[in-house]
Amino acid sequence: MTARTSTSTRGTTTVVILDTILFLLLLFIEPSGAFLLPSNHNLIRAPNKLQVMSSYMETMQEAATKSLGRPVQLEPASGGGMSGGGGASTSAVIDKETGDKYFVKSATNKGNMLRAEYLGVKAMADTHTIQTPTPIAFGQYDNKAFVLFEYLDFCGGGSQFELGVQLAKMHRSLSPHNNNGQFGFDVDNTIGATPQPNLPWMTDWADFWDTHRLGHMLKLTGNCGLSKPQVEELRTKTRQLLSHQPAPSLLHGDLWGGNKGFCKKDGNVVPVIFDPATYYGDREADVAMTYLFGGFSGDFYQGYESEWPLPEGHEKRKVVYNLYHIMNHYVLFGGGYLSQAKGMIQQILRM
């Protein structure tokens, strides 16, 4: 510290005091902007946004490097790609080493949700039956979690017939617990922003649906305004309708029109599905949801039937499966979905 001189004793004293304070501050401040306290105190940090972003990107790079088995240098890029449901945001990054682009889905305080999505997309990708955004890595920095996916070049057009064929092929991938005929998934996940329980695994499909799907939504909706006897009647009737003993197929779980599309891959336009709520269950549940909000043509159903025809009774079970999604929409959005759910409940009770 350079000494200062002054003709005024009072002025000199003031300058020395100010310089001393400045010197002490410089001793106790890191270049990073954090205040350093003695070892018997906690470190009080006030990182700036650039530092947080740098550490977040470094964490993502480390996760990608470990997954890909090669050095990765990521930087932000334009583009977002798929939707960001469940409260997640979407972005893109590019690897400066290779020029490869990746899609990023991130969220704060939703690490379990994104890890479940990573595992669900990975399960679908591992079947090698239908295109998904290949999951690259999952990670977390502080309370912000992320999933890194292959970046897909989405486009219009494409064959809905082929989409149906490939979905049916994916449905032939059965539960790894199939020796016990088990339904569920390795983790609980979400349907939109709503928690979706998949555990414990269950050996009976009707039990699984009653506990983890219908029963779960009845709790979240206050029984849709039904009386106790009406709730018991609905659950009993649903069990009867789901006594057909389906195989535990790998399901997308949230297959509405907004979660499918087409992309360019190796010079071809191919079907792609994304944003799942994956679990092992009755394949009819996936097909049923495609009827709810449009986006699937007759070619899609012809393609599916050509690969694996649906069994007798699927038309009735379609209402049962879609009630779950309408109840969930009431949980998420309220409004007229309650009256729609009540109408479907009456339809089921008349079957």
Side-chain angles (χ1 to χ4, degrees), residues 27-30 34-45:
L27 282 177
F28 283 93
I29 296 178
E30 280 188 308
F35 285 91
L36 294 174
L37 299 179
S39 59
N40 62 333
H41 288 74
N42 291 325
L43 179 65
I44 303 174
R45 287 191 173 274

Side-chain angles (χ1 to χ4, degrees), residues 57 75 92 120 153 170 174 179-180 194 212 266 287 297 320:
M57 191 64 74
E75 63 179 8
D153 185 10
M170 187 187 84
L174 302 183
N179 56 329
N180 296 318
T194 306
H212 292 327
D266 300 326
V287 179
S297 71
V320 170

Side-chain angles (χ1 to χ4, degrees), residues 31 108 111 174 180-181 194 200 228 235 300 304 318:
T108 302
L174 302 183
N180 296 318
T194 306
K228 234 178 182 181
R235 297 181 79 159
F300 166 79
Y304 191 96
K318 178 171 69 175

Side-chain angles (χ1 to χ4, degrees), residues 38 64 224 241 248:
C224 278
L241 291 169

Side-chain angles (χ1 to χ4, degrees), residues 302-313:
Q302 290 177 16
Y304 191 96
E305 289 285 325
S306 73
E307 176 65 29
W308 194 3
L310 294 174
E312 185 179 351

Side-chain angles (χ1 to χ4, degrees), residues 82-337:
M82 302 173 293
S83 62
S89 59
T90 61
S91 59
V93 293
I94 192 168
D95 182 2
K96 293 188 291 185
E97 297 286 330
T98 63
D100 293 336
K101 199 172 182 179
Y102 299 100
F103 171 81
V104 181
K105 183 176 282 190
S106 60
T108 302
N109 297 322
K110 292 182 181 290
N112 289 339
M113 179 189 80
L114 290 183
R115 178 175 176 270
E117 179 168 349
Y118 170 83
L119 293 173
V121 177
K122 186 176 187 304
M124 295 193 303
D126 286 348
T127 68
H128 304 290
T129 55
I130 189 168
Q131 182 67 53
T132 67
T134 303
I136 305 300
F138 164 81
Q140 193 160 337
Y141 176 75
D142 286 345
N143 62 345
K144 187 173 183 179
F146 62 85
V147 183
L148 199 67
F149 292 101
E150 168 191 17
Y151 193 93
L152 296 177
D153 185 10
F154 283 86
C155 62
S159 169
Q160 290 233 359
F161 185 92
E162 193 61 27
L163 173 62
V165 169
Q166 292 181 7
L167 180 68
K169 288 181 177 179
M170 187 187 84
H171 286 164
R172 290 189 183 277
S173 298
L174 302 183
S175 166
H177 301 273
N178 192 40
N179 56 329
N180 296 318
Q182 291 189 319
F183 299 91
F185 197 55
D186 293 325
V187 295
D188 295 331
N189 48 28
T190 56
I191 181 79
T194 306
Q196 176 172 269
N198 298 311
L199 296 170
W201 293 83
M202 294 191 173
T203 58
D204 183 81
W205 174 241
D207 286 344
F208 176 88
W209 192 264
D210 179 68
T211 303
H212 292 327
R213 296 298 180 263
L214 178 59
H216 176 59
M217 282 299 166
L218 285 169
K219 290 177 184 177
L220 295 181
T221 59
N223 289 333
C224 278
L226 300 177
S227 65
K228 234 178 182 181
Q230 288 173 321
V231 169
E232 288 305 313
E233 185 182 4
L234 172 63
R235 297 181 79 159
T236 299
K237 185 65 177 182
T238 299
R239 282 178 168 278
Q240 293 173 357
L241 291 169
L242 300 187
S243 60
H244 58 302
Q245 298 182 336
S249 296
L250 179 64
L251 307 185
H252 177 283
D254 192 13
L255 194 58
W256 69 289
N259 285 344
K260 67 98 172 76
F262 297 93
C263 68
K264 296 177 182 177
K265 190 78 173 179
D266 300 326
N268 299 311
V269 175
V270 299
V272 56
I273 55 177
F274 44 88
D275 282 359
T278 311
Y279 65 101
Y280 290 92
D282 183 3
R283 64 193 177 104
E284 293 178 27
D286 259 358
V287 179
M289 193 181 184
T290 64
Y291 285 94
L292 268 182
F293 306 112
F296 295 84
S297 71
D299 287 347
F300 166 79
Y301 302 104
Q302 290 177 16
Y304 191 96
E305 289 285 325
S306 73
E307 176 65 29
W308 194 3
L310 294 174
E312 185 179 351
H314 68 89
E315 286 291 340
K316 289 183 177 181
R317 291 187 289 269
K318 178 171 69 175
V319 183
V320 170
Y321 294 141
N322 284 343
L323 172 62
Y324 172 71
H325 296 293
I326 295 302
M327 292 172 76
N328 182 46
H329 273 62
Y330 174 63
V331 172
L332 293 171
F333 310 115
Y337 288 110

Side-chain angles (χ1 to χ4, degrees), residues 61-82:
Q61 283 181 175
E62 290 173 4
T65 295
K66 183 177 180 180
S67 174
L68 295 172
R70 61 172 177 77
V72 174
Q73 291 291 322
L74 298 178
E75 63 179 8
S78 61
M82 302 173 293

